[in-house]
Amino acid sequence: MWPISIYEVTLSHANRLERQVNVQVRKRLGLPRCLSSIGLYGNGVLSLPVSSLVEEYKCAKARLEMTLTESRDPFVRGAAPTLATGRKWKPSAVVAEAKTSLRHRDIVGHVQHGRNGLGMEATTPTWQKATPAERRHMVVEDVRHQEEAARCAKAVSQAQQGCWMKWEGVERRITWSELWSMESSRLSFTIRAVYDVLPSPTNLHLWYGEEPACPQCAASASLKHILVGCKISLTQGRYTWHHNQVLKYLAAEPEKRRVKINSMPPNSQPVAPWKMSFVRGGEK
């Protein structure tokens, strides 16, 4: 991101570059063109280890704005240039808004989120006591939070691809190692299933006008209906069979490990790092 930081690149040009990047990312992951960019860069129930070019562009410009305006050298602070980013987005206004938000957070204090106990979450340094490097990091994180909030607001308005906003207790984060080791078909199915862009009969009816009815019953064959909602499949035990197949696959891995350890010579078997000793009643 260094060229974006030092050169005068407008936000419109960054948006055009991101659209070109999105085409290649979708092609690499085997995703349809109708998938929104929220599915690629959002941090919702399914997070991919890729970040938005526009988000990185804004973070780089905000970091550069903080570096110039908060410099220890008074000559640098006085001669800080106005960053040319176009008319749609101004880093100075975003940095000022982030500073106001961080100062307000100091007034509110530490707020506990979720069901964890008090003090279980990691505390962040306050704006007043933070070092210049920590302040730059806090401003950049606030810019990322604003971008994520904008993506969530856009996802709420999407009737189909934004249904994951109603889910609770579901979160899946894919790392780079998992991304490279995972089969392309499995990865593509996971992403398309979360955002409901699989070629189900309902989607095929929307895209090509095909029959949307379920072949087992007369209901509309949406993705939810196919996975858990068909009464005929439930009566025939198909969902139970799918569930048992998953359990069988999960049970096979510990069994392989047990067979491998039992086949080893007694002296070469792994020893537990600790040994529990039982004490009889009345003994010390």
Side-chain angles (χ1 to χ4, degrees):
M1 302 304 294
W2 178 249
I4 294 181
S5 300
I6 61 176
Y7 293 111
E8 295 183 353
V9 181
T10 61
L11 181 61
S12 300
H13 187 66
N15 285 324
R16 289 194 295 268
L17 291 176
E18 183 176 285
R19 286 193 292 268
Q20 297 178 6
V21 171
N22 292 346
V23 173
Q24 300 301 324
V25 172
R26 291 190 183 97
K27 185 182 298 184
R28 171 64 180 82
L29 299 179
L31 302 175
R33 292 181 296 176
C34 63
L35 179 66
S36 174
S37 60
I38 300 174
L40 301 177
Y41 310 121
N43 294 325
V45 295
L46 181 64
S47 301
L48 298 178
V50 292
S51 57
S52 170
L53 178 62
V54 173
E55 179 180 340
E56 295 298 331
Y57 166 83
K58 292 182 178 181
C59 291
K61 292 299 183 181
R63 187 183 297 108
L64 181 59
E65 178 73 17
M66 285 287 296
T67 303
L68 295 175
T69 57
E70 300 290 337
S71 176
R72 296 180 180 180
D73 192 339
F75 296 99
V76 175
R77 291 197 306 269
T82 302
L83 301 181
T85 57
R87 295 176 296 178
K88 296 182 179 180
W89 184 81
K90 299 294 183 181
S92 57
V94 174
V95 170
E97 182 180 354
K99 290 181 179 179
T100 304
S101 175
L102 293 171
R103 292 191 183 99
H104 178 265
R105 192 180 304 173
D106 287 352
I107 298 174
V108 174
H110 180 68
V111 180
Q112 189 71 22
H113 298 279
R115 299 183 179 180
N116 297 330
L118 295 176
M120 296 299 295
E121 294 186 356
T123 58
T124 57
T126 60
W127 176 260
Q128 298 296 334
K129 298 181 180 180
T131 62
E134 291 176 342
R135 288 189 175 187
R136 287 194 298 269
H137 178 72
M138 294 169 67
V139 169
V140 170
E141 290 301 320
D142 192 82
V143 173
R144 294 188 186 277
H145 179 73
Q146 294 177 11
E147 289 297 307
E148 182 62 24
R151 282 193 288 263
C152 291
K154 183 179 179 181
V156 170
S157 63
Q158 296 176 345
Q160 183 171 346
Q161 296 189 27
C163 289
W164 58 270
M165 295 289 294
K166 303 177 183 178
W167 300 354
E168 295 182 1
V170 181
E171 185 176 350
R172 177 76 163 89
R173 298 189 180 277
I174 299 178
T175 61
W176 278 112
S177 58
E178 293 176 342
L179 183 65
W180 291 114
S181 61
M182 189 180 299
E183 297 180 1
S184 58
S185 58
R186 177 186 170 190
L187 178 62
S188 176
F189 176 83
T190 302
I191 299 175
R192 291 188 294 172
V194 170
Y195 298 101
D196 196 7
V197 290
L198 285 170
S200 60
T202 303
N203 288 340
L204 292 177
H205 176 71
L206 295 175
W207 299 339
Y208 307 110
E210 298 185 6
E211 179 62 34
C214 176
Q216 302 293 333
C217 59
S220 179
S222 62
L223 179 62
K224 180 179 179 181
H225 176 83
I226 295 174
L227 294 179
V228 296
C230 183
K231 296 182 179 180
I232 302 299
S233 299
L234 180 62
T235 305
Q236 295 177 354
R238 298 191 179 189
Y239 294 143
T240 305
W241 182 84
H242 291 162
H243 180 265
N244 294 341
Q245 293 301 313
V246 174
L247 293 181
K248 185 184 297 184
Y249 177 80
L250 295 177
E253 295 301 323
E255 181 65 18
K256 292 179 182 178
R257 178 66 176 174
R258 185 189 66 82
V259 173
K260 180 180 179 181
I261 293 178
N262 291 342
S263 61
M264 298 171 61
N267 296 332
S268 60
Q269 292 185 0
V271 181
W274 51 270
K275 184 178 180 181
M276 180 180 296
S277 58
F278 294 93
V279 180
R280 297 180 181 274
E283 297 181 357
K284 293 184 179 180

